[in-house]
Amino acid sequence: MSILHTVNKSPFERNSLESCLKFVNQGDPVLLFEDGVYAVLKGTSAEKQLEAALAKQSIYVLGPDLAARGFSADRVIAGIKVVDYAGFVDLAAENDKVQAWL
Amino acid sequence: MKFAIQINEGPYQHQASDSAYFFTKAVLEKGHEVFRVFFYHDGVNNGTRLTTPPQDDRNIVNRWAELAEEYQIESCTQDEDGNEVMQTELVVCVAAAQRRGVVDEGEAKRNGKDATNIHPRFRISGLGQLVEAAIQADRLVVFGD
């Protein structure tokens, strides 16, 4: 059984991403959206944590929320996939459950 | 596939109501079904028809109502006389609504209030509706703060 995990808060504001990455099963996808997109930028103190997580699961980021904050896809850590809302829906459908880390 | 959506945050607060709207819209555009949208906690404020944002801003309440209208987010039920009627599936939690002053006619009568403010495309009901949505839908997706 696979679970899509969603994180909507910046790692510089809350520890929801850290909690999520601690509990997530290997191979289960993580989607960052809303202020969660700050985690996927290159050159921040969260980069190492994200790169370690990328070795165990696929990480996605919601493109419209990146754009809303003025970031283009080339600011994103390599290996993290940018998706739109349709991609978010596909991820929710492909996995058995969706867990929001609110 | 059947989706249920839960929204725990009010409109114009952070981003949850917007995210939930765009997600729900994408669900419907992909041809999936939305079984119910359940507004909980501050999310009940998405259901007041008295919302009047500036003209150049999005109207979050009307936007939900229009989406529900366009894609018929509703279900068939029976009235007291046993006739089949359609009911909206934009559902506001009653306990959360009472605390925040979101009122329909039944609640106004029961609690001695002199006005109502629920949008006609929304209805007030209990938490059992969320449990039912979680059971009936294939996926429950939660948006909040």
Side-chain angles (χ1 to χ4, degrees):
Chain A
M1 196 197 69
S2 62
I3 301 177
L4 169 67
H5 297 264
T6 64
V7 176
N8 73 336
K9 284 289 178 280
S10 162
F12 313 111
E13 180 192 351
R14 303 235 189 123
N15 61 3
S16 52
L17 176 61
E18 196 187 336
S19 303
C20 168
L21 294 176
K22 259 182 211 165
F23 284 94
V24 64
N25 284 327
Q26 190 156 350
D28 280 359
V30 177
L31 171 72
L32 292 144
F33 73 124
E34 298 181 3
D35 281 350
V37 304
Y38 287 110
V40 306
L41 301 176
K42 280 187 254 189
T44 77
S45 56
E47 193 173 6
K48 270 194 184 139
Q49 197 180 14
L50 266 285
E51 274 173 349
L54 268 173
K56 294 181 203 148
Q57 50 252 328
S58 33
I59 297 178
Y60 299 84
V61 63
L62 194 65
D65 284 352
L66 267 181
R69 288 159 181 78
F71 302 120
S72 55
D74 60 352
R75 297 282 303 271
V76 176
I77 297 166
I80 294 175
K81 295 170 200 128
V82 181
V83 295
D84 57 7
Y85 280 99
F88 185 176
V89 173
D90 288 341
L91 283 169
E94 282 160 17
N95 293 279
D96 300 297
K97 285 176 196 296
V98 184
Q99 175 64 51
W101 289 79
L102 299 179
Chain B
M1 183 173 275
K2 263 191 229 174
F3 280 80
I5 312 292
Q6 180 185 336
I7 298 160
N8 296 340
E9 190 190 283
Y12 310 104
Q13 198 176 356
H14 291 118
Q15 213 189 327
S17 189
D18 292 288
S19 298
Y21 171 79
F22 288 119
F23 181 82
T24 306
K25 193 162 176 273
V27 163
L28 294 162
E29 281 168 355
K30 279 196 158 274
H32 296 297
E33 182 192 336
V34 172
F35 178 78
R36 182 169 292 149
V37 184
F38 190 84
F39 297 88
Y40 199 22
H41 303 294
D42 273 358
V44 300
N45 292 316
N46 284 285
T48 166
R49 66 182 162 80
L50 301 183
T51 300
T52 315
Q55 279 195 342
D56 60 349
D57 195 358
R58 67 220 188 280
N59 188 317
I60 292 182
V61 177
N62 288 352
R63 201 171 59 175
W64 276 116
E66 283 155 18
L67 191 70
E69 192 80 46
E70 186 182 350
Y71 287 96
Q72 296 168 320
I73 307 177
E74 54 194 19
S75 67
C76 198
T77 187
Q78 289 188 338
D79 65 10
E80 297 125 35
D81 305 322
N83 303 315
E84 287 197 340
V85 287
M86 297 310 284
Q87 67 175 1
T88 177
E89 287 301 342
L90 301 181
V91 178
V92 171
C93 171
V94 60
Q98 283 175 333
R99 288 187 177 96
R100 292 165 181 83
V102 175
V103 181
D104 66 4
E105 267 178 35
E107 287 304 306
K109 214 173 257 178
R110 219 183 331 279
N111 300 306
K113 304 294 175 187
D114 59 4
T116 68
N117 62 343
I118 189 86
H119 190 287
R121 255 286 164 187
F122 290 69
R123 68 183 167 91
I124 296 179
S125 193
L127 203 50
Q129 298 270 303
L130 173 61
V131 177
E132 188 198 27
I135 294 168
Q136 294 295 329
D138 300 298
R139 301 285 182 277
L140 171 65
V141 185
V142 186
F143 296 87
D145 195 11

